[in-house]
Amino acid sequence: YRAITGLLTSASHETEDILASILHQAVQLLGADAGYIGVYENEGKVYRIKHSIGIDKPRLLDEATAQAGMQGEVYASGELFYVDDYRSYPGRIANPLVGASATTVIMVPLKQAGKVHGILAVNWVAEVHPVSNADLDALRQFGDLASVTLEQDTAQKQIAHIAFHDPLTGLANRASLNHYLEQQMRQAKCCGAKGVVLFIDMDDLKSVNDNFGHSSGDEVIVAAGQLISAAVGQHAFVSRQGGDEFIVVVPGDNSREQAGAFAEAVMQKLCQEYTVAGKTIHLSASIGVAVYPDDGDAAEDLLKKADNAMYAAKEAGRNCWSFYEPVLLQTAYEKMVLTNALRRGLERREFTLHYQPQFDAAGGRILGFEALLRWHSAEHGVVSPSKFIPLAEQSGVILPIGQWVLEEACRFARRLAEAGQAQIHVAVNVSTKQLIENGFVDNVRRAVAGAGLVPSQLQLEITESVLMDSVEENA
């Protein structure tokens, strides 16, 4: 009772410490000469001693056949098993350390969910020990306590796995990556550790989800995770951040050439044909590369830089990789500031439309006007359309801006009609984002109706590049 109470009130919460203490208390309480705790591994095919006292100590961590000897009897029956004199036991292990000196041996099973997962054993040396019911009951109690400890350890490992692994791919998740990178950064600061970070994003996975369903997209993500792991090897840390983004950390003193070789190997692996819903689809990936500590010695900063490099690879045409360069961070910051100002531009009424006349080449008369969007920012002054239009499309701000342009152009066309120029049309450029929006047609109808316009006065200009982008996004 005192032994078990001591275990339950022990300050230690480490599984191995508790098991070692259980074994020590059991051997001491029964007055035995030796003992051990063993566990079955590989679905009961292998048996390994994890903690031992006395003559079994030399066998610590050695693999043994699980079905042989007394451990085989316990595994098969799931019940306590003992022999008076192990020296005359027919199934004794052919081990000079044990078979020649052990006498009385008692083994109790350690169970989890009703299945035998291990053994708690005590034995005596030289002389046969009379076994009482009290001995058996005491060992059973210690066995129950060891079983509970193993169950708790298994549960904690399962919880830890869930907490630190992606449920879809089984790879490390964001929390696990942050913990690993923080360790690497500490080593980089104190011990000069170096390494490579790859930020990987699959190209066009959205088209798989949209056309074949998210379950098909998940299959591609799982396959991509396996391909990445195969490309970088066991030494690398591979994680999935969610969606179609993966991050790989390759520790070691790698040159920039070697870092590029890692990125190239991953890209070549991922750029291939994937079978999706019985069809073959070609997919690729874009990769950003950062090197630590050269590019940074803080985890968050390093990931941000690798992310910027990945977007540079996207802008370079996809299916390629890019190193992080300081100019990328500056460019990303400028984009962020400009995008924020862009979002406030509509509220501040900083946008205007300029109308460029379109002439009849033969007669020189005006056939129509093209509405050209201009932005005069309170913070940044006059901003070129070539600079702010792509930002508006990337951020999604193009949708409210595009709707405002549409309505404003319709009002201008209405004023032309009221001035007796209903034959003159007004042309409006339409972006990819607007064209693929589900309510695009309804938005046009509302703008035309709201201005009281004859539909023929409005022209929508859709360039070839817009059509190609639209086809790609809806393929």
Side-chain angles (χ1 to χ4, degrees):
Y1 173 80
R2 286 196 302 271
I4 293 176
T5 301
L7 286 171
L8 294 175
T9 57
S10 171
S12 176
H13 297 290
E14 295 295 329
T15 299
E16 298 305 317
D17 291 344
I18 295 173
L19 290 175
S21 183
I22 288 172
L23 174 62
H24 176 77
Q25 297 281 5
V27 169
Q28 187 179 50
L29 188 66
L30 271 67
D33 299 315
Y36 67 83
I37 290 178
V39 295
Y40 295 97
E41 299 175 351
N42 193 18
E43 298 296 323
K45 296 183 178 65
V46 174
Y47 182 72
R48 191 190 304 272
I49 293 177
K50 301 295 287 288
H51 301 277
S52 62
I53 296 174
I55 61 172
D56 292 301
K57 205 160 190 177
R59 295 197 296 147
L60 189 65
L61 300 180
D62 286 350
E63 287 188 7
T65 304
Q67 307 305 322
M70 290 181 67
Q71 65 257 28
E73 298 274 3
V74 175
Y75 188 81
S77 67
E79 301 292 338
L80 178 146
F81 188 81
Y82 80 93
V83 295
D84 290 326
D85 192 344
Y86 189 75
R87 292 170 296 187
S88 60
Y89 173 60
R92 73 177 184 272
I93 299 172
N95 187 317
L97 295 172
V98 179
S101 55
T103 54
T104 305
V105 182
I106 311 173
M107 293 185 177
V108 294
L110 308 180
K111 296 182 179 180
Q112 295 181 53
K115 185 177 179 181
V116 178
H117 279 260
I119 283 176
L120 170 61
V122 297
N123 58 69
W124 286 260
V125 177
E127 295 182 1
V128 173
H129 176 77
V131 177
S132 66
N133 289 334
D135 291 334
L136 301 180
D137 289 340
L139 199 59
R140 283 193 183 98
Q141 290 182 45
F142 279 108
D144 290 342
L145 194 58
S147 295
V148 171
T149 302
L150 287 173
E151 285 184 352
Q152 290 177 336
D153 184 55
T154 300
Q156 288 171 352
K157 287 177 179 176
Q158 289 174 342
I159 292 170
H161 187 273
I162 292 171
F164 291 101
H165 289 79
D166 171 50
L168 179 61
T169 62
L171 298 173
N173 62 9
R174 186 185 299 272
S176 185
L177 171 71
N178 290 341
H179 179 69
Y180 181 80
L181 261 184
E182 286 170 2
Q183 288 182 322
Q184 288 295 308
M185 296 303 99
R186 284 195 293 269
Q187 291 182 14
K189 290 176 182 177
C190 72
C191 311
K194 298 181 179 181
V196 177
V197 175
L198 306 179
F199 198 115
I200 305 162
D201 186 89
M202 297 295 293
D203 298 327
D204 300 323
L205 188 66
K206 182 179 182 296
S207 64
V208 175
N209 290 328
D210 291 345
N211 289 282
F212 301 102
H214 286 274
S215 60
S216 295
D218 288 348
E219 290 177 8
V220 172
I221 289 171
V222 171
Q226 294 170 346
L227 291 169
I228 292 169
S229 298
V232 297
Q234 295 181 347
H235 184 54
F237 182 93
V238 183
S239 67
R240 179 189 175 218
Q241 299 303 286
D244 56 358
E245 291 182 347
F246 299 85
I247 292 177
V248 175
V249 182
V250 186
D253 189 5
N254 300 296
S255 65
R256 286 179 71 86
E257 289 75 16
Q258 290 170 316
F262 281 123
E264 183 68 24
V266 172
M267 192 187 71
Q268 292 296 334
K269 276 280 189 181
L270 293 177
C271 182
Q272 62 167 279
E273 305 290 335
Y274 294 78
T275 301
V276 179
K279 299 184 181 297
T280 301
I281 298 177
H282 188 275
L283 294 174
S284 60
S286 300
I287 303 174
V289 185
V291 179
Y292 65 87
D294 295 351
D295 292 330
D297 56 6
E300 186 176 355
D301 181 49
L302 199 62
L303 291 176
K304 179 175 63 177
K305 290 174 177 177
D307 186 23
N308 288 333
M310 184 273 293
Y311 275 106
K314 290 276 190 189
E315 292 176 359
R318 302 182 179 188
N319 189 27
C320 62
W321 57 270
S322 171
F323 275 115
Y324 164 76
E325 300 293 345
V327 68
L328 295 178
L329 197 61
Q330 180 62 29
T331 301
Y333 176 76
E334 290 174 355
K335 281 185 177 181
M336 180 191 70
V337 171
L338 202 57
T339 300
N340 288 336
L342 194 59
R343 294 182 189 279
R344 297 191 294 269
L346 270 180
E347 301 170 7
R348 297 174 175 177
R349 298 185 178 183
E350 295 176 348
F351 292 101
T352 57
L353 287 183
H354 292 193
Y355 297 95
Q356 180 173 288
Q358 298 171 328
F359 293 97
D360 176 7
R365 62 189 180 89
I366 295 178
L367 298 177
F369 291 93
E370 181 180 4
L372 303 176
L373 181 63
R374 296 294 182 262
W375 180 28
H376 191 287
S377 169
E379 299 165 341
H380 306 283
V382 177
V383 184
S384 168
S386 63
K387 191 171 185 178
F388 76 79
I389 292 294
L391 282 180
E393 291 180 340
Q394 292 169 14
S395 63
V397 183
I398 194 66
L399 296 177
I401 291 177
Q403 187 63 24
W404 177 84
V405 170
L406 193 60
E407 293 170 355
E408 187 69 17
C410 285
R411 287 190 285 268
F412 176 72
R414 176 61 183 173
R415 292 196 294 271
L416 288 176
E418 290 173 347
Q421 301 296 328
Q423 78 282 2
I424 297 178
H425 66 261
V426 177
V428 175
N429 289 310
V430 176
S431 76
T432 305
K433 297 291 185 183
Q434 288 176 277
L435 190 61
I436 65 174
E437 189 74 6
N438 289 334
F440 175 68
V441 174
D442 292 335
N443 289 340
V444 174
R445 285 175 176 162
R446 279 195 295 270
V448 171
L453 194 67
V454 176
S456 60
Q457 282 187 263
L458 178 68
Q459 285 190 358
L460 302 178
E461 293 195 350
I462 303 171
T463 64
E464 291 179 0
S465 61
V466 167
L467 286 174
M468 290 305 296
D469 288 342
S470 179
V471 168
E472 285 184 7
E473 293 199 27
N474 290 275

